[in-house]
Amino acid sequence: MLGMALAAIDGTIVSTAVPQIVGDLGGFTVFSWLFSGYLLAVTVTLPVYGKLSDTFGRKPVLIAGIILFLIGSLLCAAAWNMGALIAFRVIQGLGGGALQGTVQTIAADLYPLKERPRIQAKLSTVWATSAVAGPVVGGLLAGYADWRWIFLINLPVGAIALWLVVRHLHEPARPRTEARTRPRIDWAGALAVFATGTLLLTALVQGGVAWPWLSAPSLGLFAASAALAALTVVIERRAAEPIIPGWVWRRRTIASVNLALGAMGLLMVAPTVFLPTYAQSVLGLGPIAAGFVLSVMTLSWPVSAALSDRVYNRIGFRLTAIIGMSAALLTLLAFPLLPYPGEPWQPALIMLLLGAALGLFQLPLIVGVQSTVGWAERGTTTASVLFCRQVGQSIGAAVFGAVANSVLAARLLDAPVPGLPDDLDAVTRTLEDPGALSAAATDYLRRAVDAAVDHVYIGAAGAAALALLALVVLAPRRFPVLPDASDTAASSPGPVSGGPKR
């Protein structure tokens, strides 16, 4: 949990210190890469670390990830300009990728199926606590100490986590057949996956921000990523031990969960990215109050996840997830029905219900898909699920950002005051200055932001429908769960058969 906390709190604690960092180091035009660089490094390394943990064990990968994350944190604290800080954030992300996937895999290794919901719920509380504590701690350190402390604070936490892992984490014995086989690492595949992911995510993150979508940089990056993706498929088909094995997509259970959680990553952009903007620009709340409107989702999510086993033990993983995502779909569709301007408790209630629905959706799928594979495949399977979710978030940020800005542009064509800003960021900054506009123009802008966020939530509901479609069409009615006693010994990459069904 301490190792997970390092990755969980990182994004939220840094975001509140951006003004102080830019004021000290400069680089306002590229500061977004503090987050984009970290996200890229985490996402593209997830499949690599998943395969490495299946090959060499979870413990060495987790230890290496913690050490790399701490080295990156120390370098970030010593950064002398924005370029150096961005580079060191990438190093942090290389460690963060090992933390996110490996901790989830270890939880499935150490605990039998009946205990995994409780353990996964505890891991969810780490993210919930980080979502609330991160902005507060980051603001306090940036305001009363120095922004460099937001990175230095990782060192004692990481040191304790490292000591506990080294001393107390004892992995189950690996099958003897594996011990006799010399590990073979698909370095060419790892490099191809890394390069493909980097180009694709760069195109998604920077498109429409640093350059127009139909400009030469965007088209070039998408074309290059497509070519590299084709090359990656060729390399992985020929590799003896591929980083992303073909069975990840050939098995209906894993493929359907990958697609469903990718769609969930897509819809998560609506509350995490656009709800704070709605709360500040439409409801007129301050940054802290807007953050709390969002944070109520992190309160219901772990509670719902912890109780989900009482549902899926009765009706199965697939049906439980379908019920959870159906509730999420209805909740997302309810957001555009909120009155204008409304009260803060109304979107907070929506987020409370959404968190409960997604807790009932995500955890059964993760627990279920991990339970269908043996030890030697669990790291790869878990990493593929998390990778798809991360890619979904990147795609969602690009797509819904374009949707929001297009709705704003359409509304502002007939604005009552000429010269108004025409993109979401500029509108938000304008609304933060109460004397910049007349009352009528301010109200018009607020209504335009309200309409833009409503369309984003409708799009998120469409993503929820895609998740449901993946489960209904692709997922088997009952997941082919392996008996707990055979988890350690099961290492065959062939189709799973036998065992209980859920």
Side-chain angles (χ1 to χ4, degrees), residues 52-98:
L52 291 177
S53 74
D54 284 343
T55 304
F56 297 103
R58 327 295 187 211
K59 187 172 181 176
V61 173
L62 182 58
I63 290 173
I66 294 175
I67 292 173
L68 195 56
F69 189 92
L70 295 182
I71 291 173
S73 298
L74 187 61
L75 291 172
C76 286
W80 53 90
N81 58 36
M82 185 62 74
L85 183 58
I86 291 171
F88 299 149
R89 283 282 287 167
V90 171
I91 295 176
Q92 260 193 320
L94 296 177

Side-chain angles (χ1 to χ4, degrees), residues 205-259:
V205 170
Q206 294 298 102
V209 178
W211 47 71
W213 282 111
L214 297 180
S215 64
S218 277
L219 297 177
L221 284 171
F222 280 120
S225 61
L228 278 175
L231 178 62
T232 301
V233 172
V234 173
I235 292 173
E236 295 297 83
R237 279 186 166 182
R238 297 179 177 179
E241 294 290 340
I243 293 294
I244 303 181
W247 53 260
V248 167
W249 293 105
R250 286 195 297 269
R251 296 185 194 173
R252 289 177 58 195
T253 305
I254 302 174
S256 61
V257 172
N258 283 344
L259 293 174

